[in-house]
Amino acid sequence: MKTKTTYFCQSCGAQSPKWLGKCPSCGGWNTFVEEIVQKENKNQPHFKSTTTQLAAKPRHISEINYDELPRISTNDGELDRILGGGIVPGSLILLGGEPGIGKSTLMLQVAMKLKDKKVLYVSGEESQQQVKMRAERVGDIVSDCYILTETSTQNIFKQAEMLEPEVVIIDSIQTLYSAHIESAAGSISQVRECTAELIKYAKETGTPVFLIGHITKEGTIAGPKVLEHMVDVVLQFEGDRHLVYRILRSIKNRFHSTNELGIYEMLGSGLREVNNPSEVLLSQREEGLSGVAISAMLEGNRPFMIEIQSLVSVATYGTPQRTTTGFDGKRLNMLLAVLEKRGGFRLGTQDVFINIAGGIKVEDPGIDLAVCASIISSFEDIAISTHVCFAAEVGLGGEVRAVNRVEQRISEAQKLGFKEIYISKYNMKGLDTQNFSIKISAVGKLEELVEGLFG
Ligand code: TYD
Ligand code: MG
């Protein structure tokens, strides 16, 4: 067999038989690299292939029976919930995140917590000593965990065959290489081949495999999106490296909904599960501060309270600045325009800074009303009572719009001791206010909010 090469775009994974200056798929320049997809002499055995013995036959759907596979609990409440009750045997779980966010720490902690399971932790990045040092830091070593420093997939499978682990963790996919592919570790074709081999291993042995993947600066795991299609579950670990909170999000899950979300706190002794995020995020509040508003937001299925801080001050250096952390800048511009046009607030000459406390990024439009309230509060320099919170979207006409799962948001606010919540009047239909002891103030327009809060 001849050596076969193809050109791959290193940012999106597109293929081309010849070199191209510009990728027709993602538009990137100079991203094509020649990679050998098949070696001249291919006689090294793959991971034990059983495809010839097990030729699949179609079966009638009613004849297929499956015993609900017992999920393996990770003993980590947040992770279990995101996975839908634990690890599904034989599944491949990809954990993505930026370097330094805590992926290795999380996985090692999972390895330590899987008490009665034999775990194989394969590290291509750190030595056995380094891994052990970290393991001691994050907790007592009580589990049946083996550390292997290896980057060749063939060797990993050889060791796995002897050890017969019940869970395998690979840190990271970018360090692996398969002897079947010539190109360098971390290149598109290597990443793809190694993942394919791991999937085969997982499916054939029923061993679940966790795969750590670094996210490139474009925000995709290992560059190509192609990895995400191959695996069963894609989790993303995110947060600001300089802040303590980390969010574990499920992007794809073949066995559960992707609406779950986990929150961790990075401590000196590893990651701590945050069971009640609202309490942590609200703990540093100061009474009587203007520009602060609390929103009952929703991340996935989970409601929690978040603090929005605004600073509005006269722009002294020409063009007013608009800076946001954790909130979409375009959305801020829209809300400012609405406040100016519909509310009559002269914000055009003001610098506006918005910060979401805790380093959390919020996409839920349900925080709009709180953002507006905090801007007005800072602009007017009147503090909002710490017993008040908000949950509504704001439209271009200055109308206060309904949000989803309003009951859940109200319950969360009530649970945390808030006395009043502002919601949209359009959310009142079908809402059983008898269930709540918290005061529910329904508004239809921004003016009504201003009237209610500061009037
Ligand atoms: P790490 O898990 O190595 O990140 P990744 O594998 O995603 O690259 O975590 C790196 C950071 O976590 C590092 O900056 C130090 C910090 N850290 C703690 O704060 N506490 C700890 O107990 C550990 C193990 C790490
Ligand atoms: Mg790491």
Side-chain angles (χ1 to χ4, degrees):
M1 205 188 303
K2 262 192 69 186
T3 303
K4 215 173 115 197
T5 69
T6 310
Y7 290 84
F8 283 99
C9 168
Q10 299 293 308
S11 81
C12 76
Q15 271 188 52
S16 161
K18 60 182 198 319
W19 187 83
L20 297 171
K22 185 185 178 194
C23 173
S25 163
C26 71
W29 287 95
N30 234 337
T31 52
F32 275 89
V33 170
E34 184 177 25
E35 290 184 13
I36 297 166
V37 284
Q38 210 158 57
K39 254 189 169 176
E40 184 133 17
N41 175 356
K42 199 185 176 185
N43 49 17
Q44 271 159 306
H46 251 87
F47 167 70
K48 263 197 302 180
S49 170
T50 50
T51 40
T52 44
Q53 305 151 19
L54 269 177
K57 264 195 308 213
R59 262 204 293 172
H60 192 267
I61 190 156
S62 62
E63 289 170 12
I64 302 169
N65 46 33
Y66 66 98
D67 303 318
E68 183 67 70
L69 282 171
R71 293 191 181 229
I72 305 166
S73 167
T74 59
N75 296 319
D76 178 314
E78 301 289 293
L79 185 58
D80 271 359
R81 196 160 34 76
I82 294 166
L83 292 174
I87 312 167
V88 173
S91 62
L92 202 88
I93 301 158
L94 178 66
L95 172 68
E98 288 172 22
I101 206 77
K103 301 181 294 298
S104 305
T105 309
L106 179 67
M107 281 295 102
L108 197 62
Q109 258 177 272
V110 168
M112 296 296 122
K113 282 184 188 167
L114 279 162
K115 281 206 180 79
D116 346 297
K117 300 274 179 245
K118 197 193 269 185
V119 184
L120 175 62
Y121 187 102
V122 183
S123 178
E125 304 192 335
E126 286 159 287
S127 69
Q128 286 167 327
Q129 288 76 9
Q130 276 175 305
V131 178
K132 163 124 198 220
M133 253 163 60
R134 191 200 294 252
E136 279 177 336
R137 214 172 131 185
V138 301
D140 304 329
I141 298 176
V142 283
S143 69
D144 194 9
C145 180
Y146 293 80
I147 313 288
L148 173 68
T149 37
E150 181 59 75
T151 52
S152 151
T153 52
Q154 277 73 23
N155 290 345
I156 292 170
F157 294 135
K158 221 180 282 162
Q159 296 297 336
E161 237 168 275
M162 287 190 286
L163 189 68
E164 296 188 328
E166 293 168 274
V167 177
V168 175
I169 297 170
I170 308 274
D171 187 2
S172 65
I173 181 67
Q174 277 96 351
T175 58
L176 290 192
Y177 76 92
S178 164
H180 300 299
I181 300 267
E182 184 82 324
S183 48
S187 66
I188 304 271
S189 42
Q190 274 294 2
V191 163
R192 190 155 29 190
E193 169 69 17
C194 294
T195 309
E197 288 177 16
L198 285 166
I199 289 174
K200 207 157 162 206
Y201 166 79
K203 301 292 168 216
E204 287 177 9
T205 60
T207 317
V209 177
F210 279 98
L211 198 57
I212 292 178
H214 296 297
I215 286 189
T216 61
K217 55 182 180 305
E218 288 84 27
T220 54
I221 294 164
K225 275 276 178 202
V226 44
L227 254 193
E228 296 186 8
H229 301 302
M230 296 166 76
V231 302
D232 299 307
V233 180
V234 181
L235 304 178
Q236 191 149 313
F237 210 29
E238 40 190 69
D240 191 320
R241 214 157 8 122
H242 306 289
L243 297 169
V244 291
Y245 297 105
R246 302 281 184 274
I247 292 185
L248 186 63
R249 210 187 282 278
S250 150
I251 299 177
K252 164 184 172 176
N253 193 341
R254 286 190 179 144
F255 318 109
H256 192 64
S257 85
T258 51
N259 283 334
E260 303 287 356
L261 168 115
I263 299 182
Y264 293 89
E265 189 178 2
M266 181 62 99
L267 303 171
S269 55
L271 291 155
R272 185 182 74 85
E273 295 170 35
V274 177
N275 297 319
N276 190 350
S278 305
E279 279 175 14
V280 190
L281 294 170
L282 296 179
S283 61
Q284 300 154 15
R285 269 189 308 161
E286 191 78 38
E287 185 81 41
L289 221 53
S290 71
V292 176
I294 311 294
S295 183
M297 65 167 277
L298 210 62
E299 263 288 3
N301 282 338
R302 217 170 163 193
F304 59 86
M305 310 303 286
I306 196 136
E307 179 180 316
I308 294 134
Q309 303 171 334
S310 294
L311 182 66
V312 179
S313 67
V314 180
T316 33
Y317 304 103
T319 325
Q321 295 185 62
R322 266 86 229 254
T323 312
T324 61
T325 331
F327 187 69
D328 181 25
K330 289 207 187 91
R331 189 132 196 117
L332 170 65
N333 285 335
M334 183 211 107
L335 293 177
L336 289 174
V338 170
L339 284 171
E340 178 110 30
K341 177 113 182 163
R342 312 283 172 191
F345 294 99
R346 311 239 65 81
L347 295 160
T349 54
Q350 307 282 324
D351 285 338
V352 180
F353 304 94
I354 301 276
N355 182 29
I356 309 263
I360 295 200
K361 266 197 209 80
V362 185
E363 275 161 22
D364 178 12
I367 74 164
D368 283 357
L369 195 62
V371 172
C372 289
S374 83
I375 292 171
I376 301 167
S377 160
S378 176
F379 183 62
E380 300 285 352
D381 202 18
I382 305 171
I384 299 169
S385 156
T386 48
H387 301 298
V388 175
C389 62
F390 309 85
E393 192 182 330
V394 173
L396 286 176
E399 77 276 21
V400 176
R401 305 170 67 107
V403 287
N404 59 345
R405 296 173 191 261
V406 76
E407 290 95 343
Q408 257 180 293
R409 299 180 198 241
I410 299 172
S411 308
E412 179 73 12
Q414 184 174 314
K415 202 170 83 197
L416 285 154
F418 284 89
K419 302 273 184 339
E420 185 177 11
I421 182 166
Y422 280 87
I423 64 167
S424 161
K425 70 174 187 201
Y426 303 103
N427 261 135
M428 291 303 276
K429 217 194 289 161
L431 183 72
D432 197 355
T433 48
Q434 302 298 318
N435 292 339
F436 303 105
S437 57
I438 183 172
K439 180 180 171 202
I440 299 171
S441 303
V443 288
K445 285 203 201 99
L446 271 181
E447 290 97 299
E448 293 166 40
L449 171 84
V450 177
E451 185 68 26
L453 267 184
F454 310 106

